[in-house]
Amino acid sequence: MRLFFALWPDEMVRANLARQRIELARSSGGRPTRPATLHVTLVYLGDVAPEMLDAALTVGRSIFQPPFEYKVDLAGCYSSANIAWMGSEETPMELFILQETLLAAANEIGFKTDPRTFRPHITVARNVTTPFPSTEVAPTMWNINSFSLIESRSTSVGPTYDIVETWPLCSQ
C-alpha cells in the first residue's frame, strides 16, 4: 500500500481549484491534473506493508488541533519536478503545526518519511514545459476542518486516490 496524510478539499473548494488549474496548465504547457486528485500532501508514508495500516491509523487518531483557514492565492512552478502548483502567499502556521505533528508521530512509530522540507502546495499540472514565476491567483478560502489518510494507486490514467480514513480537527 502507498499511503500519505493529506488535506482533502470539499466539493466547493475542489471546484474552484479545478477551474483555475486549466489556465495554469495552459500557461505552463503542462497537463492539468484530474480534479479528483487535488489535495495537499502533509506526510508521505510511502510503500507500507498492510500490517502497518493500523499504525498509520493510530497516527491519525493521535492528532488534536483546532480547525483553521487556508487561503489559496498563489501559483507557480517547480521546474525540478515539472509541475505547476497552487498554494498560499502566507501559509498559516497551523498548517505547519499539523504537518510537523503528523510527521513526528509517524517517525516515532517507525515510518520512514520523506526527508525533504515541507512545501505545502496543490499540484495542478504535470509535465510542465514552460515554467512561470510565482503569481497571484483569485483566492480560494479553504476551511481546514479535517485531514485524511489516503491510499495511492497507479493506473493507466495516472494516480488514483482512495480515502482510508478522515479525522476532524477540533478544539478539544
Side-chain angles (χ1 to χ4, degrees):
M1 310 176 79
R2 185 171 298 138
L3 299 175
F4 62 93
F5 288 101
L7 299 179
W8 205 252
D10 63 32
E11 290 308 311
M12 188 172 77
V13 169
R14 184 176 302 284
N16 287 340
L17 299 174
R19 275 192 296 277
Q20 292 190 61
R21 87 191 196 297
I22 299 298
E23 182 55 37
L24 294 170
R26 188 176 298 124
S27 298
S28 65
R31 177 181 46 85
T33 56
R34 291 174 300 145
T37 66
L38 298 171
H39 69 279
V40 174
T41 299
L42 296 169
V43 175
Y44 182 72
L45 300 176
D47 290 318
V48 173
E51 58 270 15
M52 289 295 289
L53 177 59
D54 283 341
L57 294 169
T58 297
V59 169
R61 285 191 292 267
S62 73
I63 304 303
F64 295 97
Q65 181 177 326
F68 58 95
E69 282 193 338
Y70 182 41
K71 182 179 180 182
V72 179
D73 60 356
L74 191 68
C77 291
Y78 293 140
S79 299
S80 61
N82 295 323
I83 67 165
W85 54 264
M86 291 178 71
S88 182
E89 180 80 39
E90 295 183 29
T91 303
M93 186 55 62
E94 295 91 342
L95 177 51
F96 289 107
I97 292 169
L98 175 59
Q99 189 274 338
E100 289 169 3
T101 305
L102 277 166
L103 182 65
N107 286 334
E108 187 174 309
I109 286 182
F111 286 102
K112 304 294 182 223
T113 57
D114 189 340
R116 292 179 289 184
T117 300
F118 177 58
R119 295 190 295 181
H121 67 278
I122 302 149
T123 300
V124 296
R126 297 188 181 282
N127 304 325
V128 166
T129 59
T130 311
F132 57 86
S134 295
T135 185
E136 291 182 10
V137 294
T140 297
M141 293 307 294
W142 183 355
N143 292 315
I144 307 297
N145 53 29
S146 66
F147 67 98
S148 300
L149 179 65
I150 308 296
E151 181 178 5
S152 172
R153 295 190 177 128
S154 296
T155 69
S156 60
V157 295
T160 60
Y161 302 131
D162 297 313
I163 297 173
V164 176
E165 186 75 42
T166 297
W167 296 273
L169 294 177
C170 55
S171 299
Q172 298 288 345

